[in-house]
Amino acid sequence: MRFERRDHPSRALTLLAPVGAILVALLVAGGLIALAGANPLRAYGLILKGAFGSRLGISETLTRATPLILTGLAAAVAFRARLWNIGGEGQLYMGALAVAGFGMIPALGAMPAPLAILLCLAVGAVAGMVLLLVPLGLRLKFGVDEVVTTLLLNFVAVLFVSLMIEGAMKDPLAFGWPQSVPVPDSAVLPQLMARTRLHLGLLIAVAAAVFTWWLQSRTVFGMRARAAGLNPRAAAFAGVPLGRTLIAVACLSGGMAGLAGAIEVMGVKGYVTTDLSPSYGYSGIIIAMLANLNPIGVIGAALFSAVMFVGADSMSRALSIPSYIADVTVALSLLTMLVAIFLTQYRIRR
Amino acid sequence: MSVLFDILSSVGMWEAVLRIATPLIFGTLGVLLCERVGVLNLGIEGIMTFGAMVGWLSVYNGADLWTGMLVAAAAGAMFGLLHALMTVPLGLSQHVTGLGITLFASSFSYYLFRLAVPTSSSPPTVEPFRPLAVPVLSDIPFLGPVLFTQTPPTYLALVLVALLAWGLYRTPLGLALRMTGENPHAVDAQGIDPVRLRVFTIMAGSALMAMGGAFLTLAAFNSFFPTMVQGRGWICVALVVFASWKPGRALLGALLFAFFDAFQLRLQTVVDGVPYQLFLMLPYLLSILALILMARRARVPQALMQPYRRGER
């Protein structure tokens, strides 16, 4: 058996790849549901019903998709430039923590809401950037591989959050629970649907995806970032400033992850805890791959994950299947997607 | 000052060093094997989690402790096979595949654990490995209790270091392995199939990683809980760079690291006014420091992360 590179991967095949990948993942996960003694079709039916069956379900799915779009973008922009940012989780927490800390400044509460919100979003994004610029600096300066450093910094970031919310930023009114002081009302994102948790953050995330798409496909920066990823040596030879491009990519990537944390605090929770994110940062990596690193595709992939997570929560209550099945399915779809992308690029010859 | 002396002169502290080092030794040897044939295996964090879960679950269901270790190793080898098939013959991104394996293996562990042990407030326990005092040697003052009253898997880990060091540098198979990580074309030219060698080595390395995980639930603790691996896998990846891909130095790195970990645990209890989170950050920050120190000096296997296809360069 040999693999032969296709000269022109067909567009239809490329678009079908994620669909096929998700179907195979669902098939395997279906086996695991059957193993638990439930009917897979019924379970998937309940997942869809949980995610789409009611106004509340739909709003929850969209609320869940919001941070996932942003962490997905964070991974997608970085991976395209071969910057292996696996630190989305830590950057998200730093964004969240920065917003909560910034919110403690009394002047913020007196500001008009739009200004306070814009300032908070910027602070969150910058905090995310800073946490990614550290490992990037280590790579550029000392040649330290950023994969492991970004991974390790995730743990440091969460511990730092824990340190702050049990210390300087602890809410004295929280009955001893370790959580931060809530952000002032002026920094809370407005609701999009009455009596649900859906908030303005969704529109910000979608706008971020469109902005990223524009940046990547219509600007010099986008072309340089892609060139740096495809072949750094050739790119450098053609005059692409590699270091500067990577720094810009890191700012964009870390910024998106930081934004995800800020928005989660400002739109959903109101304060920071160490369980703010059910590994949104890691899910972002899966979402980016499912989207084939396409920023617009990220929206769709984030929706798929959100449907699985929200739907599985309500399904597991009805069928007593552990809701971890959602994590299993989504992680499996990453592996199947990798193979699917391979099959769009190669044909198998005997 | 006398507090520091008390900690450093206590048998308990040094005994803990070897215990804390054991899962790291298994893990670093696993990573080292994979990377020596040219493949990065970021599946380690998930494989350790799965090993911890499946080893514990087997013993919980009546298997004896060594069977539990063996089941973990076999499961680890299976994840290794998956990683190997995707990264070696297909040549997919080793970064992303490894992360995918980690995410899949850990969520799969939690899923199976929840199925087997539906909600209970306190995690059920098993009877873990007991320390095994080596006759005569364990009677040596200080060194005896530190080195020779460990649990059996710790002795196994130490034997594996020696075995691997000997195997890699003193046997034809070891030469072929090292060569595969440096120049797979040359291996192929010698009539050895580098693809097959890579696949089997990754399986073996992944089995070691899973045993490191199983040590956590079967010797260090006696129960399984999600997120218990706590980045140990990633630390192993860093330690291999620190060790310059050499088994002896990997042992040294794991011991050094475990020393700091055991030390900070004890320091936490005697130093007042320093938040405990700062102590907990130390292992991760130390790993990053180790990477910075060694990044330029370490001799990376030349074919690391380069997929091999016959006839392609």
Side-chain angles (χ1 to χ4, degrees):
Chain A
M1 203 167 76
R2 290 184 57 236
F3 305 113
E4 194 179 278
R5 204 172 179 97
R6 296 176 202 263
D7 291 332
H8 302 286
S10 91
R11 201 166 172 78
L13 221 54
T14 311
L15 286 174
L16 270 176
V19 180
I22 287 174
L23 283 179
V24 174
L26 287 174
L27 205 69
V28 178
L32 294 176
I33 293 173
L35 184 82
N39 180 347
L41 285 178
R42 179 142 181 268
Y44 287 137
L46 285 170
I47 287 179
L48 285 179
K49 198 171 153 225
F52 294 117
S54 63
R55 203 176 100 98
L56 187 71
I58 294 172
S59 73
E60 276 301 299
T61 304
L62 293 175
T63 308
R64 190 85 187 229
T66 303
L68 291 173
I69 293 174
L70 288 166
T71 53
L73 289 173
V77 290
F79 286 12
R80 179 146 276 184
R82 289 284 152 89
L83 173 70
W84 297 108
N85 175 17
I86 324 293
E89 187 78 1
Q91 290 142 26
L92 181 148
Y93 271 105
M94 290 320 284
L97 189 71
V99 163
F102 189 62
M104 290 169 78
I105 299 173
L108 199 74
M111 268 180 210
L115 183 63
I117 288 175
L118 275 178
L119 278 175
C120 282
L121 291 177
V123 164
V126 168
M129 284 176 202
V130 170
L131 193 68
L132 181 54
L133 284 174
V134 173
L136 178 65
L138 293 178
R139 165 172 158 183
L140 295 176
K141 196 101 191 128
F142 301 105
V144 180
D145 183 40
E146 74 275 18
V147 177
V148 188
T149 46
T150 50
L151 275 168
L152 291 170
L153 282 175
N154 286 339
F155 294 89
V156 177
V158 176
L159 283 168
F160 185 62
V161 170
S162 161
L163 174 82
M164 294 308 281
I165 64 176
E166 285 182 22
M169 288 171 62
K170 183 170 177 156
D171 185 359
L173 304 176
F175 305 105
W177 286 105
Q179 61 183 49
S180 77
V181 177
V183 290
D185 288 342
S186 63
V188 171
L189 294 172
Q191 300 299 117
L192 286 184
M193 267 163 91
R195 283 174 290 110
T196 68
R197 303 201 298 168
L198 188 63
H199 54 86
L200 190 68
L202 177 69
L203 299 185
I204 300 175
V206 170
V210 175
F211 172 70
T212 309
W213 169 81
W214 174 80
L215 215 54
Q216 280 193 335
S217 58
R218 296 286 182 274
T219 65
V220 176
F221 160 74
M223 197 215 59
R224 284 179 168 172
R226 194 150 52 173
L230 287 173
N231 189 340
R233 269 172 69 192
F237 196 66
V240 173
L242 279 185
R244 268 197 356 241
T245 305
L246 279 177
I247 289 171
V249 168
C251 285
L252 192 60
S253 171
M256 292 290 176
L259 210 53
I263 283 178
E264 205 54 12
V265 169
M266 295 159 65
V268 182
K269 291 280 162 66
Y271 52 83
V272 183
T273 53
T274 47
D275 58 1
L276 177 74
S277 152
S279 60
Y280 287 136
Y282 298 102
S283 302
I285 297 163
I286 303 177
I287 287 159
M289 292 313 294
L290 274 182
N292 215 345
L293 306 188
N294 179 320
I296 303 298
V298 161
I299 300 175
L303 276 174
F304 159 70
S305 311
V307 166
M308 286 308 297
F309 288 126
V310 173
D313 273 344
S314 70
M315 180 276 290
S316 79
R317 281 194 292 275
L319 287 187
S320 71
I321 301 279
S323 62
Y324 285 120
I325 192 69
D327 303 86
V328 174
T329 314
V330 173
L332 264 173
S333 67
L334 167 63
L335 295 174
T336 52
M337 181 65 188
L338 285 172
V339 177
I341 295 173
F342 177 82
L343 291 176
T344 63
Q345 290 170 342
Y346 288 83
R347 58 168 64 92
I348 300 170
R349 283 279 158 86
R350 284 184 174 278
Chain B
M1 233 33 226
S2 75
V3 170
L4 287 188
F5 183 77
D6 283 350
I7 293 177
L8 291 177
S9 63
S10 81
V11 170
M13 149 96 197
W14 293 97
E15 199 198 315
V17 168
L18 211 51
R19 188 174 63 240
I20 294 173
T22 304
L24 299 175
I25 297 173
F26 278 111
T28 35
L29 291 183
V31 174
L32 189 142
L33 264 179
C34 296
E35 295 193 358
R36 263 304 166 103
V37 291
V39 179
L40 176 76
N41 190 349
L42 293 181
I44 177 169
E45 183 82 6
I47 293 172
M48 282 182 92
T49 308
F50 198 87
M53 190 283 299
V54 83
W56 177 88
L57 195 60
S58 315
V59 176
Y60 182 64
N61 283 320
D64 66 88
L65 288 161
W66 283 110
T67 312
M69 290 293 272
L70 217 63
V71 171
M78 284 301 110
F79 282 112
L81 179 65
L82 182 62
H83 184 68
L85 288 180
M86 291 180 71
T87 53
V88 182
L90 298 188
L92 300 174
S93 159
Q94 299 180 4
H95 284 117
V96 185
T97 307
L99 287 168
I101 302 261
T102 279
L103 294 170
F104 171 56
S106 38
S107 49
F108 192 30
S109 318
Y110 306 154
Y111 178 74
L112 288 181
F113 178 70
R114 269 279 155 262
L115 268 189
V117 187
T119 49
S120 65
S121 47
S122 62
T125 57
V126 298
E127 188 60 33
F129 278 106
R130 292 265 152 247
L132 178 77
V134 180
V136 187
L137 291 175
S138 60
D139 296 332
I140 306 173
F142 199 78
L143 277 185
V146 168
L147 291 176
F148 300 107
T149 53
Q150 297 286 341
T151 55
T154 299
Y155 302 128
L156 175 66
L158 294 175
V159 171
L160 280 171
V161 174
L163 203 68
L164 208 68
W166 173 78
L168 270 179
Y169 291 97
R170 294 283 182 272
T171 65
L173 177 64
L175 180 63
L177 284 181
R178 284 183 292 133
M179 222 164 116
T180 307
E182 301 291 338
N183 188 346
H185 297 275
V187 177
D188 209 358
Q190 293 288 323
I192 303 169
D193 183 359
V195 170
R196 193 177 297 176
L197 207 55
R198 278 185 171 172
V199 171
F200 284 122
T201 310
I202 295 166
M203 288 175 73
S206 306
L208 289 180
M209 297 170 187
M211 288 170 80
F215 178 85
L216 292 175
T217 45
L218 297 182
F221 307 100
N222 54 9
S223 58
F224 176 82
F225 50 93
T227 72
M228 74 183 302
V229 176
Q230 281 287 333
R232 284 187 180 82
W234 311 133
I235 288 169
C236 290
V237 178
L239 281 176
V240 169
V241 179
F242 175 77
S244 229
W245 289 269
K246 293 191 173 72
R249 282 202 213 170
L251 172 66
L252 190 74
L255 287 175
L256 202 65
F257 187 88
F259 164 75
F260 282 115
D261 208 18
F263 188 60
Q264 64 90 5
L265 276 172
R266 277 156 186 78
L267 212 55
Q268 257 184 67
T269 57
V270 293
V271 177
D272 283 333
V274 181
Y276 68 95
Q277 291 96 340
L278 286 180
F279 289 106
L280 292 179
M281 280 179 198
L282 270 182
Y284 307 110
L285 294 176
L286 277 174
S287 304
I288 294 175
L289 185 71
L291 284 174
I292 296 171
L293 289 177
M294 292 307 290
R296 290 242 191 268
R297 255 177 284 169
R299 236 191 61 66
V300 189
Q302 288 300 298
L304 185 61
M305 282 189 276
Q306 290 178 5
Y308 173 74
R309 284 201 193 87
R310 189 171 290 173
E312 265 180 40
R313 290 183 58 83

